[in-house]
Amino acid sequence: MNYLKYVIFSSCITVILSSIGCGKNCKDAKYSFSMQESFSPEEDSISIGDTLWLTSYHSSTFKDSLSKKDVNFSNSQIGASIEIINFPDTSQSVTGGVYDFQIIKIYGNEIGNDNIPSQNKGYYYQEIDTNYLLKLGFIAKQKGVYGISLGNSIGVIQRKGSCEKATIEIDNSNTDIHLYYYENFFPGEPVSNYTKTHVYFFKVN
């Protein structure tokens, strides 16, 4: 069973609930956008006390994948959920890994409605001038093998009182996500496309 696929998918629910606030019967998302995130340093392992950095940014003007037009989507609350999963040596079940890291915030604001606090933590992108920015540091406190991801942003509403909505696909842009950590933990299991495009794996020594 592709455990990570189902664990990570739950993070999208948090963002849906936190983004709906126009007080009207909003229709389905009108726009479909995409953006990227990356983790650095791009090493397959770090040491306790080291910091893994997440960086994600995009201008407030997006290319709508449906109409192929540029859309100014400023003054919106783009939220996404950080998911951290631990792959323990003594079990075939993954566990939440949020508490194994000290999280420092450079850009972004906490959402505060995490559905599984040990596993995920929600953040809003910070809008500065004409850009949306999210930059977080994860200082390792425990040894282990981990998968970390930034979930897609679903049902984002533009401007307070508006019902123009967007779905934002947030893909990982790292050259090497060290997928073999997942494959070693679940040998022979199929790997979902979501896992391949959203999750970054690493070890803490």
Side-chain angles (χ1 to χ4, degrees), residues 26-70:
C26 293
K27 297 181 180 180
D28 290 338
K30 180 178 181 180
Y31 301 115
S32 179
F33 303 144
S34 62
M35 57 193 302
Q36 294 184 323
E37 47 84 355
S38 64
F39 292 93
S40 63
E42 192 175 299
E43 303 289 345
D44 66 349
S45 65
I46 61 175
S47 299
I48 289 179
D50 288 348
T51 303
L52 181 71
W53 291 99
L54 162 68
T55 304
S56 182
Y57 61 91
H58 198 284
S59 73
S60 56
T61 298
F62 291 83
K63 176 78 72 176
D64 178 32
S65 64
L66 303 176
S67 67
K68 309 303 180 184
K69 295 180 179 179
D70 290 335

Side-chain angles (χ1 to χ4, degrees), residues 15-136:
V15 180
I16 295 173
L17 296 177
S18 67
S19 302
I20 298 175
C22 67
K24 304 176 184 178
N25 294 320
C26 293
K27 297 181 180 180
D28 290 338
K30 180 178 181 180
Y31 301 115
S32 179
F33 303 144
S34 62
M35 57 193 302
Q36 294 184 323
E37 47 84 355
S38 64
F39 292 93
S40 63
E42 192 175 299
E43 303 289 345
D44 66 349
S45 65
I46 61 175
S47 299
I48 289 179
D50 288 348
T51 303
L52 181 71
W53 291 99
L54 162 68
T55 304
S56 182
Y57 61 91
H58 198 284
S59 73
S60 56
T61 298
F62 291 83
K63 176 78 72 176
D64 178 32
S65 64
L66 303 176
S67 67
K68 309 303 180 184
K69 295 180 179 179
D70 290 335
V71 178
N72 183 338
F73 215 72
S74 59
N75 194 25
S76 305
Q77 284 190 317
I78 298 177
S81 184
I82 296 290
E83 188 114 20
I84 306 177
I85 302 299
N86 174 244
F87 298 85
D89 292 333
T90 58
S91 173
Q92 283 299 303
S93 298
V94 297
T95 59
V98 168
Y99 299 142
D100 292 350
F101 297 85
Q102 177 187 344
I103 303 177
I104 54 178
K105 179 181 65 177
I106 305 300
Y107 297 113
N109 299 293
E110 289 188 40
I111 290 176
N113 65 340
D114 315 310
N115 58 347
I116 309 177
S118 65
Q119 186 173 297
N120 57 60
K121 199 170 185 66
Y123 287 89
Y124 286 122
Y125 281 71
Q126 189 171 343
E127 188 174 6
I128 300 178
D129 297 327
T130 59
N131 294 288
Y132 289 107
L133 305 169
L134 182 64
K135 184 170 185 178
L136 305 171

Side-chain angles (χ1 to χ4, degrees), residues 83-201:
E83 188 114 20
I84 306 177
I85 302 299
N86 174 244
F87 298 85
D89 292 333
T90 58
S91 173
Q92 283 299 303
S93 298
V94 297
T95 59
V98 168
Y99 299 142
D100 292 350
F101 297 85
Q102 177 187 344
I103 303 177
I104 54 178
K105 179 181 65 177
I106 305 300
Y107 297 113
N109 299 293
E110 289 188 40
I111 290 176
N113 65 340
D114 315 310
N115 58 347
I116 309 177
S118 65
Q119 186 173 297
N120 57 60
K121 199 170 185 66
Y123 287 89
Y124 286 122
Y125 281 71
Q126 189 171 343
E127 188 174 6
I128 300 178
D129 297 327
T130 59
N131 294 288
Y132 289 107
L133 305 169
L134 182 64
K135 184 170 185 178
L136 305 171
F138 301 86
I139 303 175
K141 299 190 297 182
Q142 300 288 336
K143 294 182 179 180
V145 174
Y146 297 89
I148 184 169
S149 68
L150 184 63
N152 296 329
S153 195
I154 299 175
V156 181
I157 296 172
Q158 184 182 32
R159 300 185 179 87
K160 187 176 180 181
S162 170
C163 268
E164 287 199 335
K165 293 167 60 178
T167 292
I168 304 177
E169 177 89 10
I170 307 175
D171 291 332
N172 178 271
S173 63
N174 286 95
T175 302
D176 188 354
I177 63 169
H178 316 125
L179 187 61
Y180 47 83
Y181 283 127
Y182 177 91
E183 294 170 330
N184 289 342
F185 195 81
F186 296 121
E189 290 286 338
V191 183
S192 72
N193 185 64
Y194 187 95
T195 298
K196 293 177 181 178
T197 58
H198 286 74
V199 190
Y200 181 82
F201 300 92

